[in-house]
Amino acid sequence: QVQLVESGGGSVQAGGSLRLSCAASRSISSLVAMGWYRQAPGKQREVVAMITWSGESFYGDSVKGRFTISRDTGNNMVFLQMDSLQPEDTAVYYCHGNDVYAYWGQGTQVTVSS
């Protein structure tokens, strides 16, 4: 079992930046991947960014070039740096990790105003 706790959400104007953090309750080195998903009202949850156990990263098309995922394996943390935020980035952002199971955080709200 892994507990994931997100922090860093908030409200920002378009063009601004936020940095989300995800703290894991145990070592993330054994996880296949960790990442971030988001869900906007009335929409399905979608992948934002993922980083694999080997350090390879992947991004959803809508955030490529604006968001950056990183990790600190020594402190069991994953981060999402979000730049050039747009109103369509408004959503609840969830931290995710998986081995043979999938783990989810409780979510953190990001609101971008125009």
mmCIF file with all atom_site columns, all heavy atoms in Angstrom, residues 93-113:
data_model
loop_
_atom_site.group_PDB
_atom_site.id
_atom_site.type_symbol
_atom_site.label_atom_id
_atom_site.label_alt_id
_atom_site.label_comp_id
_atom_site.label_asym_id
_atom_site.label_entity_id
_atom_site.label_seq_id
_atom_site.pdbx_PDB_ins_code
_atom_site.Cartn_x
_atom_site.Cartn_y
_atom_site.Cartn_z
_atom_site.occupancy
_atom_site.B_iso_or_equiv
_atom_site.pdbx_formal_charge
_atom_site.auth_seq_id
_atom_site.auth_comp_id
_atom_site.auth_asym_id
_atom_site.auth_atom_id
_atom_site.pdbx_PDB_model_num
ATOM 1   N N   . TYR A 1 93  ? -6.566  17.954 -9.644  1.00 0.00 ? 93  TYR A N   1
ATOM 2   C CA  . TYR A 1 93  ? -5.382  17.211 -10.055 1.00 0.00 ? 93  TYR A CA  1
ATOM 3   C C   . TYR A 1 93  ? -5.097  16.113 -9.034  1.00 0.00 ? 93  TYR A C   1
ATOM 4   O O   . TYR A 1 93  ? -5.064  16.363 -7.823  1.00 0.00 ? 93  TYR A O   1
ATOM 5   C CB  . TYR A 1 93  ? -4.192  18.152 -10.174 1.00 0.00 ? 93  TYR A CB  1
ATOM 6   C CG  . TYR A 1 93  ? -4.235  18.994 -11.422 1.00 0.00 ? 93  TYR A CG  1
ATOM 7   C CD1 . TYR A 1 93  ? -5.185  20.000 -11.564 1.00 0.00 ? 93  TYR A CD1 1
ATOM 8   C CD2 . TYR A 1 93  ? -3.363  18.767 -12.483 1.00 0.00 ? 93  TYR A CD2 1
ATOM 9   C CE1 . TYR A 1 93  ? -5.257  20.769 -12.716 1.00 0.00 ? 93  TYR A CE1 1
ATOM 10  C CE2 . TYR A 1 93  ? -3.417  19.532 -13.640 1.00 0.00 ? 93  TYR A CE2 1
ATOM 11  C CZ  . TYR A 1 93  ? -4.368  20.522 -13.746 1.00 0.00 ? 93  TYR A CZ  1
ATOM 12  O OH  . TYR A 1 93  ? -4.436  21.275 -14.902 1.00 0.00 ? 93  TYR A OH  1
ATOM 13  N N   . TYR A 1 94  ? -4.901  14.908 -9.542  1.00 0.00 ? 94  TYR A N   1
ATOM 14  C CA  . TYR A 1 94  ? -4.687  13.734 -8.710  1.00 0.00 ? 94  TYR A CA  1
ATOM 15  C C   . TYR A 1 94  ? -3.297  13.146 -8.948  1.00 0.00 ? 94  TYR A C   1
ATOM 16  O O   . TYR A 1 94  ? -2.881  12.972 -10.100 1.00 0.00 ? 94  TYR A O   1
ATOM 17  C CB  . TYR A 1 94  ? -5.714  12.655 -9.024  1.00 0.00 ? 94  TYR A CB  1
ATOM 18  C CG  . TYR A 1 94  ? -7.138  13.045 -8.735  1.00 0.00 ? 94  TYR A CG  1
ATOM 19  C CD1 . TYR A 1 94  ? -7.930  13.639 -9.714  1.00 0.00 ? 94  TYR A CD1 1
ATOM 20  C CD2 . TYR A 1 94  ? -7.711  12.807 -7.481  1.00 0.00 ? 94  TYR A CD2 1
ATOM 21  C CE1 . TYR A 1 94  ? -9.241  13.995 -9.457  1.00 0.00 ? 94  TYR A CE1 1
ATOM 22  C CE2 . TYR A 1 94  ? -9.028  13.155 -7.218  1.00 0.00 ? 94  TYR A CE2 1
ATOM 23  C CZ  . TYR A 1 94  ? -9.784  13.758 -8.201  1.00 0.00 ? 94  TYR A CZ  1
ATOM 24  O OH  . TYR A 1 94  ? -11.085 14.109 -7.949  1.00 0.00 ? 94  TYR A OH  1
ATOM 25  N N   . CYS A 1 95  ? -2.651  12.826 -7.865  1.00 0.00 ? 95  CYS A N   1
ATOM 26  C CA  . CYS A 1 95  ? -1.392  12.085 -7.950  1.00 0.00 ? 95  CYS A CA  1
ATOM 27  C C   . CYS A 1 95  ? -1.722  10.601 -8.078  1.00 0.00 ? 95  CYS A C   1
ATOM 28  O O   . CYS A 1 95  ? -2.676  10.102 -7.451  1.00 0.00 ? 95  CYS A O   1
ATOM 29  C CB  . CYS A 1 95  ? -0.573  12.356 -6.695  1.00 0.00 ? 95  CYS A CB  1
ATOM 30  S SG  . CYS A 1 95  ? 1.051   11.546 -6.683  1.00 0.00 ? 95  CYS A SG  1
ATOM 31  N N   . HIS A 1 96  ? -0.936  9.906  -8.858  1.00 0.00 ? 96  HIS A N   1
ATOM 32  C CA  . HIS A 1 96  ? -1.194  8.483  -9.129  1.00 0.00 ? 96  HIS A CA  1
ATOM 33  C C   . HIS A 1 96  ? 0.126   7.726  -9.117  1.00 0.00 ? 96  HIS A C   1
ATOM 34  O O   . HIS A 1 96  ? 1.164   8.228  -9.554  1.00 0.00 ? 96  HIS A O   1
ATOM 35  C CB  . HIS A 1 96  ? -1.855  8.340  -10.497 1.00 0.00 ? 96  HIS A CB  1
ATOM 36  C CG  . HIS A 1 96  ? -1.998  6.928  -10.971 1.00 0.00 ? 96  HIS A CG  1
ATOM 37  N ND1 . HIS A 1 96  ? -1.045  6.297  -11.745 1.00 0.00 ? 96  HIS A ND1 1
ATOM 38  C CD2 . HIS A 1 96  ? -2.984  6.031  -10.780 1.00 0.00 ? 96  HIS A CD2 1
ATOM 39  C CE1 . HIS A 1 96  ? -1.444  5.073  -11.995 1.00 0.00 ? 96  HIS A CE1 1
ATOM 40  N NE2 . HIS A 1 96  ? -2.619  4.886  -11.422 1.00 0.00 ? 96  HIS A NE2 1
ATOM 41  N N   . GLY A 1 97  ? 0.073   6.521  -8.610  1.00 0.00 ? 97  GLY A N   1
ATOM 42  C CA  . GLY A 1 97  ? 1.220   5.632  -8.666  1.00 0.00 ? 97  GLY A CA  1
ATOM 43  C C   . GLY A 1 97  ? 0.736   4.211  -8.836  1.00 0.00 ? 97  GLY A C   1
ATOM 44  O O   . GLY A 1 97  ? -0.406  3.890  -8.492  1.00 0.00 ? 97  GLY A O   1
ATOM 45  N N   . ASN A 1 98  ? 1.573   3.361  -9.398  1.00 0.00 ? 98  ASN A N   1
ATOM 46  C CA  . ASN A 1 98  ? 1.139   1.982  -9.553  1.00 0.00 ? 98  ASN A CA  1
ATOM 47  C C   . ASN A 1 98  ? 2.301   1.013  -9.482  1.00 0.00 ? 98  ASN A C   1
ATOM 48  O O   . ASN A 1 98  ? 3.413   1.290  -9.921  1.00 0.00 ? 98  ASN A O   1
ATOM 49  C CB  . ASN A 1 98  ? 0.353   1.803  -10.860 1.00 0.00 ? 98  ASN A CB  1
ATOM 50  C CG  . ASN A 1 98  ? 1.205   1.930  -12.092 1.00 0.00 ? 98  ASN A CG  1
ATOM 51  O OD1 . ASN A 1 98  ? 1.569   3.026  -12.507 1.00 0.00 ? 98  ASN A OD1 1
ATOM 52  N ND2 . ASN A 1 98  ? 1.556   0.802  -12.691 1.00 0.00 ? 98  ASN A ND2 1
ATOM 53  N N   . ASP A 1 99  ? 1.997   -0.141 -8.875  1.00 0.00 ? 99  ASP A N   1
ATOM 54  C CA  . ASP A 1 99  ? 2.820   -1.326 -9.043  1.00 0.00 ? 99  ASP A CA  1
ATOM 55  C C   . ASP A 1 99  ? 1.844   -2.384 -9.554  1.00 0.00 ? 99  ASP A C   1
ATOM 56  O O   . ASP A 1 99  ? 1.339   -2.207 -10.679 1.00 0.00 ? 99  ASP A O   1
ATOM 57  C CB  . ASP A 1 99  ? 3.571   -1.697 -7.754  1.00 0.00 ? 99  ASP A CB  1
ATOM 58  C CG  . ASP A 1 99  ? 2.713   -1.618 -6.499  1.00 0.00 ? 99  ASP A CG  1
ATOM 59  O OD1 . ASP A 1 99  ? 1.489   -1.885 -6.591  1.00 0.00 ? 99  ASP A OD1 1
ATOM 60  O OD2 . ASP A 1 99  ? 3.258   -1.303 -5.441  1.00 0.00 ? 99  ASP A OD2 1
ATOM 61  N N   . VAL A 1 100 ? 1.525   -3.399 -8.790  1.00 0.00 ? 100 VAL A N   1
ATOM 62  C CA  . VAL A 1 100 ? 0.452   -4.313 -9.220  1.00 0.00 ? 100 VAL A CA  1
ATOM 63  C C   . VAL A 1 100 ? -0.904  -3.708 -8.880  1.00 0.00 ? 100 VAL A C   1
ATOM 64  O O   . VAL A 1 100 ? -1.938  -4.195 -9.329  1.00 0.00 ? 100 VAL A O   1
ATOM 65  C CB  . VAL A 1 100 ? 0.597   -5.702 -8.583  1.00 0.00 ? 100 VAL A CB  1
ATOM 66  C CG1 . VAL A 1 100 ? 1.851   -6.389 -9.116  1.00 0.00 ? 100 VAL A CG1 1
ATOM 67  C CG2 . VAL A 1 100 ? 0.602   -5.624 -7.073  1.00 0.00 ? 100 VAL A CG2 1
ATOM 68  N N   . TYR A 1 101 ? -0.893  -2.671 -8.081  1.00 0.00 ? 101 TYR A N   1
ATOM 69  C CA  . TYR A 1 101 ? -2.107  -1.950 -7.715  1.00 0.00 ? 101 TYR A CA  1
ATOM 70  C C   . TYR A 1 101 ? -1.978  -0.501 -8.192  1.00 0.00 ? 101 TYR A C   1
ATOM 71  O O   . TYR A 1 101 ? -0.893  -0.025 -8.499  1.00 0.00 ? 101 TYR A O   1
ATOM 72  C CB  . TYR A 1 101 ? -2.319  -1.965 -6.204  1.00 0.00 ? 101 TYR A CB  1
ATOM 73  C CG  . TYR A 1 101 ? -2.432  -3.344 -5.612  1.00 0.00 ? 101 TYR A CG  1
ATOM 74  C CD1 . TYR A 1 101 ? -1.369  -3.924 -4.913  1.00 0.00 ? 101 TYR A CD1 1
ATOM 75  C CD2 . TYR A 1 101 ? -3.604  -4.086 -5.757  1.00 0.00 ? 101 TYR A CD2 1
ATOM 76  C CE1 . TYR A 1 101 ? -1.470  -5.184 -4.380  1.00 0.00 ? 101 TYR A CE1 1
ATOM 77  C CE2 . TYR A 1 101 ? -3.711  -5.354 -5.217  1.00 0.00 ? 101 TYR A CE2 1
ATOM 78  C CZ  . TYR A 1 101 ? -2.643  -5.899 -4.535  1.00 0.00 ? 101 TYR A CZ  1
ATOM 79  O OH  . TYR A 1 101 ? -2.751  -7.160 -4.008  1.00 0.00 ? 101 TYR A OH  1
ATOM 80  N N   . ALA A 1 102 ? -3.107  0.177  -8.216  1.00 0.00 ? 102 ALA A N   1
ATOM 81  C CA  . ALA A 1 102 ? -3.114  1.594  -8.537  1.00 0.00 ? 102 ALA A CA  1
ATOM 82  C C   . ALA A 1 102 ? -3.424  2.381  -7.272  1.00 0.00 ? 102 ALA A C   1
ATOM 83  O O   . ALA A 1 102 ? -4.298  1.996  -6.486  1.00 0.00 ? 102 ALA A O   1
ATOM 84  C CB  . ALA A 1 102 ? -4.171  1.896  -9.597  1.00 0.00 ? 102 ALA A CB  1
ATOM 85  N N   . TYR A 1 103 ? -2.707  3.458  -7.082  1.00 0.00 ? 103 TYR A N   1
ATOM 86  C CA  . TYR A 1 103 ? -2.862  4.290  -5.887  1.00 0.00 ? 103 TYR A CA  1
ATOM 87  C C   . TYR A 1 103 ? -3.204  5.708  -6.320  1.00 0.00 ? 103 TYR A C   1
ATOM 88  O O   . TYR A 1 103 ? -2.629  6.223  -7.286  1.00 0.00 ? 103 TYR A O   1
ATOM 89  C CB  . TYR A 1 103 ? -1.571  4.297  -5.064  1.00 0.00 ? 103 TYR A CB  1
ATOM 90  C CG  . TYR A 1 103 ? -1.043  2.919  -4.756  1.00 0.00 ? 103 TYR A CG  1
ATOM 91  C CD1 . TYR A 1 103 ? 0.033   2.388  -5.466  1.00 0.00 ? 103 TYR A CD1 1
ATOM 92  C CD2 . TYR A 1 103 ? -1.628  2.136  -3.769  1.00 0.00 ? 103 TYR A CD2 1
ATOM 93  C CE1 . TYR A 1 103 ? 0.513   1.130  -5.197  1.00 0.00 ? 103 TYR A CE1 1
ATOM 94  C CE2 . TYR A 1 103 ? -1.151  0.860  -3.491  1.00 0.00 ? 103 TYR A CE2 1
ATOM 95  C CZ  . TYR A 1 103 ? -0.079  0.367  -4.223  1.00 0.00 ? 103 TYR A CZ  1
ATOM 96  O OH  . TYR A 1 103 ? 0.395   -0.900 -3.954  1.00 0.00 ? 103 TYR A OH  1
ATOM 97  N N   . TRP A 1 104 ? -4.092  6.336  -5.563  1.00 0.00 ? 104 TRP A N   1
ATOM 98  C CA  . TRP A 1 104 ? -4.537  7.686  -5.891  1.00 0.00 ? 104 TRP A CA  1
ATOM 99  C C   . TRP A 1 104 ? -4.480  8.575  -4.651  1.00 0.00 ? 104 TRP A C   1
ATOM 100 O O   . TRP A 1 104 ? -4.788  8.128  -3.545  1.00 0.00 ? 104 TRP A O   1
ATOM 101 C CB  . TRP A 1 104 ? -5.969  7.677  -6.412  1.00 0.00 ? 104 TRP A CB  1
ATOM 102 C CG  . TRP A 1 104 ? -6.149  6.992  -7.717  1.00 0.00 ? 104 TRP A CG  1
ATOM 103 C CD1 . TRP A 1 104 ? -6.488  5.683  -7.925  1.00 0.00 ? 104 TRP A CD1 1
ATOM 104 C CD2 . TRP A 1 104 ? -5.993  7.566  -9.011  1.00 0.00 ? 104 TRP A CD2 1
ATOM 105 N NE1 . TRP A 1 104 ? -6.547  5.420  -9.275  1.00 0.00 ? 104 TRP A NE1 1
ATOM 106 C CE2 . TRP A 1 104 ? -6.249  6.559  -9.965  1.00 0.00 ? 104 TRP A CE2 1
ATOM 107 C CE3 . TRP A 1 104 ? -5.653  8.850  -9.485  1.00 0.00 ? 104 TRP A CE3 1
ATOM 108 C CZ2 . TRP A 1 104 ? -6.180  6.786  -11.341 1.00 0.00 ? 104 TRP A CZ2 1
ATOM 109 C CZ3 . TRP A 1 104 ? -5.585  9.074  -10.844 1.00 0.00 ? 104 TRP A CZ3 1
ATOM 110 C CH2 . TRP A 1 104 ? -5.842  8.055  -11.757 1.00 0.00 ? 104 TRP A CH2 1
ATOM 111 N N   . GLY A 1 105 ? -4.125  9.822  -4.884  1.00 0.00 ? 105 GLY A N   1
ATOM 112 C CA  . GLY A 1 105 ? -4.258  10.811 -3.837  1.00 0.00 ? 105 GLY A CA  1
ATOM 113 C C   . GLY A 1 105 ? -5.681  11.337 -3.784  1.00 0.00 ? 105 GLY A C   1
ATOM 114 O O   . GLY A 1 105 ? -6.541  10.943 -4.572  1.00 0.00 ? 105 GLY A O   1
ATOM 115 N N   . GLN A 1 106 ? -5.914  12.256 -2.859  1.00 0.00 ? 106 GLN A N   1
ATOM 116 C CA  . GLN A 1 106 ? -7.260  12.770 -2.670  1.00 0.00 ? 106 GLN A CA  1
ATOM 117 C C   . GLN A 1 106 ? -7.597  13.896 -3.636  1.00 0.00 ? 106 GLN A C   1
ATOM 118 O O   . GLN A 1 106 ? -8.767  14.264 -3.770  1.00 0.00 ? 106 GLN A O   1
ATOM 119 C CB  . GLN A 1 106 ? -7.443  13.264 -1.223  1.00 0.00 ? 106 GLN A CB  1
ATOM 120 C CG  . GLN A 1 106 ? -6.895  14.656 -0.929  1.00 0.00 ? 106 GLN A CG  1
ATOM 121 C CD  . GLN A 1 106 ? -5.377  14.729 -0.869  1.00 0.00 ? 106 GLN A CD  1
ATOM 122 O OE1 . GLN A 1 106 ? -4.683  13.711 -0.954  1.00 0.00 ? 106 GLN A OE1 1
ATOM 123 N NE2 . GLN A 1 106 ? -4.853  15.930 -0.710  1.00 0.00 ? 106 GLN A NE2 1
ATOM 124 N N   . GLY A 1 107 ? -6.606  14.434 -4.297  1.00 0.00 ? 107 GLY A N   1
ATOM 125 C CA  . GLY A 1 107 ? -6.816  15.485 -5.279  1.00 0.00 ? 107 GLY A CA  1
ATOM 126 C C   . GLY A 1 107 ? -6.588  16.875 -4.713  1.00 0.00 ? 107 GLY A C   1
ATOM 127 O O   . GLY A 1 107 ? -6.785  17.112 -3.512  1.00 0.00 ? 107 GLY A O   1
ATOM 128 N N   . THR A 1 108 ? -6.172  17.777 -5.585  1.00 0.00 ? 108 THR A N   1
ATOM 129 C CA  . THR A 1 108 ? -5.997  19.178 -5.208  1.00 0.00 ? 108 THR A CA  1
ATOM 130 C C   . THR A 1 108 ? -6.557  20.045 -6.331  1.00 0.00 ? 108 THR A C   1
ATOM 131 O O   . THR A 1 108 ? -6.325  19.773 -7.514  1.00 0.00 ? 108 THR A O   1
ATOM 132 C CB  . THR A 1 108 ? -4.513  19.492 -4.916  1.00 0.00 ? 108 THR A CB  1
ATOM 133 O OG1 . THR A 1 108 ? -4.391  20.833 -4.434  1.00 0.00 ? 108 THR A OG1 1
ATOM 134 C CG2 . THR A 1 108 ? -3.634  19.327 -6.150  1.00 0.00 ? 108 THR A CG2 1
ATOM 135 N N   . GLN A 1 109 ? -7.288  21.070 -5.950  1.00 0.00 ? 109 GLN A N   1
ATOM 136 C CA  . GLN A 1 109 ? -7.970  21.910 -6.927  1.00 0.00 ? 109 GLN A CA  1
ATOM 137 C C   . GLN A 1 109 ? -7.015  22.942 -7.516  1.00 0.00 ? 109 GLN A C   1
ATOM 138 O O   . GLN A 1 109 ? -6.288  23.624 -6.781  1.00 0.00 ? 109 GLN A O   1
ATOM 139 C CB  . GLN A 1 109 ? -9.148  22.632 -6.277  1.00 0.00 ? 109 GLN A CB  1
ATOM 140 C CG  . GLN A 1 109 ? -9.885  23.596 -7.190  1.00 0.00 ? 109 GLN A CG  1
ATOM 141 C CD  . GLN A 1 109 ? -10.676 22.900 -8.274  1.00 0.00 ? 109 GLN A CD  1
ATOM 142 O OE1 . GLN A 1 109 ? -11.382 21.916 -8.012  1.00 0.00 ? 109 GLN A OE1 1
ATOM 143 N NE2 . GLN A 1 109 ? -10.589 23.409 -9.504  1.00 0.00 ? 109 GLN A NE2 1
ATOM 144 N N   . VAL A 1 110 ? -7.052  23.055 -8.835  1.00 0.00 ? 110 VAL A N   1
ATOM 145 C CA  . VAL A 1 110 ? -6.334  24.111 -9.544  1.00 0.00 ? 110 VAL A CA  1
ATOM 146 C C   . VAL A 1 110 ? -7.362  24.918 -10.325 1.00 0.00 ? 110 VAL A C   1
ATOM 147 O O   . VAL A 1 110 ? -8.131  24.351 -11.120 1.00 0.00 ? 110 VAL A O   1
ATOM 148 C CB  . VAL A 1 110 ? -5.272  23.534 -10.493 1.00 0.00 ? 110 VAL A CB  1
ATOM 149 C CG1 . VAL A 1 110 ? -4.693  24.626 -11.390 1.00 0.00 ? 110 VAL A CG1 1
ATOM 150 C CG2 . VAL A 1 110 ? -4.163  22.846 -9.702  1.00 0.00 ? 110 VAL A CG2 1
ATOM 151 N N   . THR A 1 111 ? -7.394  26.209 -10.089 1.00 0.00 ? 111 THR A N   1
ATOM 152 C CA  . THR A 1 111 ? -8.339  27.086 -10.767 1.00 0.00 ? 111 THR A CA  1
ATOM 153 C C   . THR A 1 111 ? -7.571  28.197 -11.471 1.00 0.00 ? 111 THR A C   1
ATOM 154 O O   . THR A 1 111 ? -6.786  28.903 -10.837 1.00 0.00 ? 111 THR A O   1
ATOM 155 C CB  . THR A 1 111 ? -9.345  27.694 -9.780  1.00 0.00 ? 111 THR A CB  1
ATOM 156 O OG1 . THR A 1 111 ? -10.039 26.636 -9.105  1.00 0.00 ? 111 THR A OG1 1
ATOM 157 C CG2 . THR A 1 111 ? -10.348 28.570 -10.508 1.00 0.00 ? 111 THR A CG2 1
ATOM 158 N N   . VAL A 1 112 ? -7.797  28.315 -12.770 1.00 0.00 ? 112 VAL A N   1
ATOM 159 C CA  . VAL A 1 112 ? -7.118  29.335 -13.567 1.00 0.00 ? 112 VAL A CA  1
ATOM 160 C C   . VAL A 1 112 ? -8.164  30.285 -14.120 1.00 0.00 ? 112 VAL A C   1
ATOM 161 O O   . VAL A 1 112 ? -9.074  29.869 -14.834 1.00 0.00 ? 112 VAL A O   1
ATOM 162 C CB  . VAL A 1 112 ? -6.309  28.712 -14.715 1.00 0.00 ? 112 VAL A CB  1
ATOM 163 C CG1 . VAL A 1 112 ? -5.519  29.794 -15.450 1.00 0.00 ? 112 VAL A CG1 1
ATOM 164 C CG2 . VAL A 1 112 ? -5.378  27.627 -14.188 1.00 0.00 ? 112 VAL A CG2 1
ATOM 165 N N   . SER A 1 113 ? -8.036  31.539 -13.790 1.00 0.00 ? 113 SER A N   1
ATOM 166 C CA  . SER A 1 113 ? -8.999  32.545 -14.241 1.00 0.00 ? 113 SER A CA  1
ATOM 167 C C   . SER A 1 113 ? -8.428  33.352 -15.404 1.00 0.00 ? 113 SER A C   1
ATOM 168 O O   . SER A 1 113 ? -7.222  33.556 -15.507 1.00 0.00 ? 113 SER A O   1
ATOM 169 C CB  . SER A 1 113 ? -9.372  33.462 -13.087 1.00 0.00 ? 113 SER A CB  1
ATOM 170 O OG  . SER A 1 113 ? -8.217  34.099 -12.572 1.00 0.00 ? 113 SER A OG  1
#
